[in-house]
Amino acid sequence: MQGLMQDVPLSLTHVFERAERLWRDKEIVTATVGGGRERITYGAWAERTRRLAGVLDDLGISKDGRVGTFAWNSARHLELYFAAPCSGRVLHTLNIRLFPEQVVYVANHAEDEVVFVDRSLLPLLWPLADQLETVKTFVVMDDGADAEIPDDPRIRDYEELLAAASPVADLAIEDENQAAAMCYTSGTTGNPKGVVYSHRSMTLHAMATMLADTFALSERDVVLPVVPQFHANAWGLAHAVAMAGASIVMPGPDLSPKAIATLIEEERVTIAAGVPTIWMGMLPELDGRDLDALRLIICGGSAVPRALSEGYREKTGRPILQAWGMTETSPIGSVATVKSTLVDRSEDELAGLRASVGLISPLVDCRIVESGTIDVLPWDGSAQGELQVRGPWIAAGYYAEERSPVTEDGWLQTGDVATIDPEGYIRIVDRTKDVIKSGGEWISSVELENEIMAHPDVAEAAVIGLPDQKWGERPVACVVAKDGASLSAEDVKQFLNGRVAKWWIPERVELIDEVPKTSVGKFSKKDLRARFEEEAASA
Ligand code: ADP
């Protein structure tokens, strides 16, 4: 027997129209280039979004046409987030920090027809214009920067186009599986790959962020996504705010700790989200600030050191809420909330739970398998295997790419090595490509980093494996000392003594000025490895 319920498509048009109707007076705030702030209500934003859909018609963007963005987080970017998919196009957020040849590759591969670019970013994009084979128009969004606007017929002005366009009254998506947006992975190996989200996946994912045991994001929140809108859709938060009717604060180009802390304080932000490097930089900035409104600091994208999470607990009274995910998982896969049945564990054990990536989200399944097979391993907290996931907001394939990330039995291969304990807490041991095999045994670079970063004089630490004649590979720790601290390699080794197995302790500890970062602000072990390999080759 079939259920007798309505089968209404899950689409972003519903999210948009509900926000337009119910939250007219709620605010979207954007920090601008000159240090000012622009404020717009959802009502005015919705009207502009409908006009923007008209602009896409006027520019002749085809059905399914890819609408590129090359922009900071802003209210205008949020207009694009809804105008493109709700009018049947596909939003394609380009990562502004990719190397130029990668931007060219990605825009050509996705076949972007237009790119909306912030004026402050035009000097980065315009030199590539002639190589972007399918882009006919560049629409400049004037964010107050003084970058020169070249005199070229391909360049149009956002506000002028908006003023001339008619608002589109009828936004309807019939097929919930229609593409709504795409994001390319930042391509740590090989070319970036396109993940294509559907209206259905984005709607369900936005709803998942509102669940009480994930972020409990609600209409009462003021949300600051420090995570860029080009990094897995600002982790889904930009859609979630519209669904919930929450106020949103867009940080614009200034992501310095001071600017972010000021926004949190002055806009009374309740939820802020960013990668660990953002929160590491912010910690010293918090002294003396009124952070009373802040209830949730979401952190993910790479391992969150326990010392960082506990540091926030001491300073703000709130630990960081760790989440795990990937561009391929929309991105929320798991969230490290503490089960009510476990709250009476010791402080140390609780800190350990918070330092895990937590419990798999509702509607997503996870398993760990023996590497290279589909042999499922037990949830015993010690068996290590590749983490695999499946669910309605998990990628089933890449855009125009033969290689599939999905196993023959339908699970996404994450490339992360993890353990899962009997309570369901997932711990990421390493990325497959970062694990260190020394004398036939695995060393977790993530765990070593965690321990090193617990040293009070350490600001950042990244551990990589380098070839070793005797052991196959040995860990090398690259450590950045806190400003003004005097720290030696020997201090670090001493500190590790007793905290990790003896054979884990790196013989080589390098004190460096800064850990290189990827385009989305994660530690770039690829760059670190290259640095040491070059050094070895020239020795
Ligand atoms: P890229 O692969 O280019 O870094 P993604 O943002 O999609 O782009 O990265 C996803 C990866 O980030 C995951 O596969 C995982 O290795 C890592 N990651 C995400 N969240 C966490 C976390 N909380 N702890 C450890 N690693 C994480």
Side-chain angles (χ1 to χ4, degrees):
M1 181 166 136
Q2 292 280 294
L4 281 174
M5 304 311 281
Q6 299 183 3
D7 187 8
V8 178
L10 300 175
S11 94
L12 294 178
T13 52
H14 169 84
V15 177
F16 170 75
E17 284 174 346
R18 187 164 186 276
E20 179 180 46
R21 182 159 288 224
L22 294 188
W23 318 115
R24 295 201 72 79
D25 300 328
K26 297 301 281 288
E27 261 190 343
I28 303 163
V29 177
T30 305
T32 56
V33 168
R37 277 175 225 165
E38 277 173 6
R39 318 185 88 86
I40 183 172
T41 61
Y42 267 64
W45 164 82
E47 212 264 330
R48 285 167 59 88
T49 302
R50 286 189 184 274
R51 277 183 187 277
L52 183 55
V55 169
L56 297 176
D57 292 344
D58 296 345
L59 292 175
I61 308 302
S62 52
K63 178 176 164 356
D64 277 348
R66 262 69 78 195
V67 175
T69 64
F70 198 77
W72 303 107
N73 291 9
S74 72
R76 288 196 184 98
H77 208 166
L78 196 65
E79 288 162 8
L80 284 153
Y81 255 54
F82 284 88
C86 293
S87 67
R89 279 83 178 201
V90 183
L91 180 83
H92 174 206
T93 47
L94 289 154
N95 181 337
I96 60 172
R97 298 209 180 87
L98 290 182
F99 291 116
E101 57 275 17
Q102 284 183 316
V103 175
V104 171
Y105 171 85
V106 164
N108 286 342
H109 190 262
E111 297 170 88
D112 292 346
E113 295 180 17
V114 57
V115 180
F116 287 76
V117 50
D118 277 336
R119 184 168 178 180
S120 59
L121 294 168
L122 198 56
L124 281 182
L125 188 70
W126 187 246
L128 312 176
D130 291 337
Q131 297 171 61
L132 306 184
E133 291 155 9
T134 50
V135 178
K136 294 187 206 72
T137 315
F138 294 83
V139 181
V140 176
M141 302 185 280
D142 198 339
D143 58 2
D146 54 11
E148 195 190 326
I149 301 179
D151 185 14
D152 187 290
R154 287 171 293 176
I155 294 193
R156 309 291 296 273
D157 176 71
Y158 189 85
E159 294 300 330
E160 279 174 20
L161 287 173
L162 217 61
S166 310
V168 175
D170 185 24
L171 298 169
I173 297 295
E174 259 136 52
D175 175 5
E176 63 178 10
N177 287 309
Q178 184 173 326
M182 62 197 297
C183 255
Y184 278 71
T185 61
S186 39
T188 30
T189 48
N191 272 326
K193 297 181 186 63
V195 177
V196 185
Y197 308 102
S198 64
H199 278 265
R200 173 186 161 84
S201 75
M202 294 187 114
T203 306
L204 287 170
H205 181 266
M207 202 153 100
T209 66
M210 295 165 64
L211 301 177
D213 288 327
T214 53
F215 305 149
L217 192 154
S218 84
E219 180 263 329
R220 292 169 290 287
D221 281 306
V222 179
V223 181
L224 170 72
V226 186
V227 49
Q229 283 180 273
F230 58 75
H231 187 199
N233 303 305
W235 296 348
L237 295 172
H239 297 103
V241 285
M243 186 182 266
S247 303
I248 187 159
V249 181
M250 295 297 206
D254 188 356
L255 303 182
S256 66
K258 187 157 186 245
I260 298 298
T262 305
L263 280 178
I264 293 177
E265 188 173 23
E266 293 182 0
E267 297 295 337
R268 305 209 45 82
V269 167
T270 62
I271 301 182
V275 290
T277 44
I278 291 283
W279 300 123
M280 284 178 201
M282 281 268 299
L283 198 53
E285 201 36 71
L286 299 181
D287 291 329
R289 297 218 180 233
D290 171 9
L291 302 173
D292 264 8
L294 189 63
R295 70 169 182 84
L296 199 60
I297 304 160
I298 303 170
C299 187
S302 55
V304 180
R306 177 171 159 153
L308 179 68
S309 168
E310 294 309 299
Y312 270 80
R313 223 162 99 80
E314 276 158 33
K315 269 208 179 166
T316 68
R318 300 157 199 84
I320 276 177
L321 180 66
Q322 180 165 191
W324 168 89
M326 314 168 67
T327 304
E328 289 89 334
T329 66
S330 292
I332 306 302
S334 70
V335 179
T337 46
V338 175
K339 289 183 183 179
S340 64
T341 46
L342 304 179
V343 287
D344 51 7
R345 287 194 173 180
S346 71
E347 270 311 316
D348 186 53
E349 281 174 291
L350 291 179
L353 291 180
R354 290 190 290 261
S356 77
V357 301
L359 303 169
I360 198 75
S361 161
L363 300 187
V364 181
D365 291 320
C366 68
R367 69 180 187 185
I368 44 173
V369 301
E370 192 72 61
S371 192
T373 72
I374 53 170
D375 298 339
V376 178
L377 296 168
W379 291 22
D380 60 7
S382 61
Q384 294 185 6
E386 187 191 29
L387 180 63
Q388 300 190 339
V389 292
R390 68 171 182 201
W393 55 83
I394 309 295
Y398 292 123
Y399 177 65
E401 190 72 48
E402 257 174 44
R403 194 185 77 81
S404 169
V406 175
T407 61
E408 64 212 41
D409 61 344
W411 294 71
L412 176 82
Q413 298 164 291
T414 66
D416 286 335
V417 180
T419 62
I420 309 180
D421 76 12
E423 292 282 359
Y425 282 87
I426 305 167
R427 285 184 176 74
I428 304 290
V429 178
D430 246 321
R431 285 189 136 180
T432 319
K433 49 187 177 292
D434 293 335
V435 286
I436 302 164
K437 201 165 190 185
S438 180
E441 300 283 343
W442 299 109
I443 295 178
S444 160
S445 66
V446 171
E447 216 172 309
L448 258 180
E449 286 159 11
N450 235 320
E451 292 300 339
I452 299 172
M453 282 193 269
H455 190 295
D457 289 337
V458 170
E460 292 178 342
V463 175
I464 53 169
L466 287 181
D468 180 274
Q469 278 202 335
K470 183 165 175 200
W471 301 107
E473 257 185 337
R474 284 299 294 156
V476 173
C478 305
V479 179
V480 181
K482 279 194 182 148
D483 272 351
S486 80
L487 183 76
S488 69
E490 207 42 48
D491 293 337
V492 175
K493 289 189 219 173
Q494 284 291 338
F495 183 73
L496 288 176
N497 212 346
R499 297 179 80 101
V500 298
K502 261 214 151 58
W503 60 276
W504 277 37
I505 300 179
E507 290 76 24
R508 195 165 165 196
V509 174
E510 296 282 334
L511 287 157
I512 57 173
D513 292 338
E514 195 190 342
V515 177
K517 310 286 184 322
T518 69
S519 62
V520 290
K522 307 184 190 188
F523 288 172
S524 177
K525 297 198 182 179
K526 189 170 99 177
D527 286 333
L528 266 182
R529 271 192 291 265
R531 194 185 284 181
F532 283 98
E533 276 155 18
E534 260 168 40
E535 211 183 87
S538 61

